[in-house]
Amino acid sequence: MVDAGAQWRVGVLEGLLREVGLQASRGVGPDVQRVLEWLHRQIGVHVALVTDEAGTVESSTAGFPREVLGTLAPLLVRMSGGQLAAAVTQSGALHVRCEALGPHEPRPVLVVAGPSKPAPDAIALISHTGSVLTLLRRAGRSDRIWRDYQHGTRQLRFAVLSALLSGEPLLARRMTTGAIPPLLDAERLRLYLLQCPPADRDKIVRTYQDPSGYHGSGLMVQCPVFKNHLICLLTDDEEPDSPGQQLRGHAETLHRLVRDDPRYTMGVSGSHPLHAAAEAYSQAAHALAAAPTAPSRVASYHGRTPLEGVLPRQAAQEWARILLRPLDTATKTSTDITRLTMNMPRSAVAKLLGLSRNTVTAHLKRTEASLGLNLTDIRCRAALHLALALNSSHPAPEPDYDQPLSTLDDLLRTERAAAWATATLRPLQARHRRTLQAWIDANTDAQEAARALGISRNTIRTHLRTVESVLGLDLLTAGTGIHDVVHALYIANTRAS
């Protein structure tokens, strides 16, 4: 037959374990107050947890007599410093029991005050409660360390991505001295842009993270702007060069994730050197725009010839050089920010670089003043984007001023430019082309375009989403394909007039 005392001990210990289980399941750190209040309900004493030699109270029951701590000060100093593990004393009419918790100084001290000496079962329960608090606090510290580590590795991956998108692989290496990700030793990379629910995105990053905080030979970074985008930089050798070949590494993982979940889509860039990660991102964004209608919901960027590749080389580079010459005396920060805003929204650039939108705008204003361009105008941005692409692909020598210089209009009137525009716009239906033209004429303001066409703003966006899918160009998310359609429509309209 089990005696009543044993039944009580079993019952209260089960209650303590339930409280531990409840706190562990929440995963938000220990709630010391709840444990102390639970102990008070069981044995009727008041309890406080003192965390240092100065007598700082981390938590206590509502009626704890804090005045006793003044008389306990010398004792608390000895216990916090590790000289005593437990002590019993009298403070006025109160019986006080103290137990030091944990192995490391300064040790927190559990202080229990009551009108009389507690019974043996109550003393045992106080000790059990102290042990539980030690474990809960240690688990809480481990959780904090884990969260801090995850935050730190996330920030480092983001910094590496930012450096690569700015065309600075050497800066990325300097950031990671001592733990350089294998990706930075590769010659070429591909960028995979995975679209999935935000919670899944974060879980994928944690699941495939290695002990160094990277992802094997790759890098998975939560996009700071589009919360359902996961940016994955992988070495070029993980994607097969031709259909039918075997996928490897995380490339196979990402393709499988899309195959297994109908909510996922993915765009894959072509192969690029490390310093051209921004171009890889642009290609992946274009491919992602076409992915929803692809049978596998994965689209790869197919090597569409860029406009800069069909223009007369010498004349085009001379035009670009003259347009960009004022940037030679501009600050590198302003120039880099301007380059990034050609491929992503200003808000994205601000988050990417850890700047405010006002700071990004201020840098763009300096660029505008230098170049004499209005960068809020889509056609001016398209011209600048083309000049930057021409200059980065093969910088031109100083122009020969003895020869007549070409204007952008001259360059876009060539036969090869006309053929490029025709090929770019050929997949469009007439009504979608009208919508696209109205949107560009309205400086990409969907509401203004809707008024001009006499249709709703939602219809405009629906048409533009169809255009994205048909052309394989991103227009509405990062907007990396807008410049192509600006030039293509201009060329087509000029030829038709």
Side-chain angles (χ1 to χ4, degrees), residues 289-290 292-293 427-429 431-433 435-436 458-473 475-476:
T293 57
L428 288 182
Q429 295 180 15
R431 63 191 179 113
H432 294 145
R433 180 164 170 170
T435 300
L436 186 60
N458 287 341
T459 302
I460 292 287
R461 292 187 66 84
T462 299
H463 285 189
L464 291 175
R465 285 297 185 195
T466 302
V467 170
E468 284 187 317
S469 179
V470 169
L471 298 185
L473 293 174
L475 302 177
L476 297 176

Side-chain angles (χ1 to χ4, degrees), residues 9 18 123 160 190 372 489:
R9 287 192 294 273
R18 280 195 299 273
I123 293 173
V160 171
R190 290 180 191 264
L489 288 170

Side-chain angles (χ1 to χ4, degrees), residues 382-417:
L384 179 57
H385 179 267
L386 178 59
L388 289 169
L390 285 162
N391 194 57
S392 63
S393 62
H394 201 295
E398 287 295 322
D400 181 358
Y401 292 101
D402 293 331
Q403 299 294 324
L405 297 175
S406 298
T407 64
L408 178 58
D409 191 62
D410 295 331
L411 298 174
L412 298 182
R413 287 180 180 274
T414 61
E415 290 299 324
R416 293 188 68 195

Side-chain angles (χ1 to χ4, degrees), residues 254-303:
L254 294 170
H255 279 268
R256 175 175 50 79
L257 289 171
V258 177
R259 183 179 66 244
D260 293 346
D261 195 319
R263 299 173 299 169
Y264 289 20
T265 56
M266 186 166 67
V268 184
S269 78
S271 173
H272 294 272
L274 295 186
H275 64 79
E279 184 178 349
Y281 175 82
S282 178
Q283 289 188 358
H286 291 322
L288 183 62
T293 57
S296 63
R297 301 188 308 286
V298 176
S300 296
Y301 183 83
H302 297 296

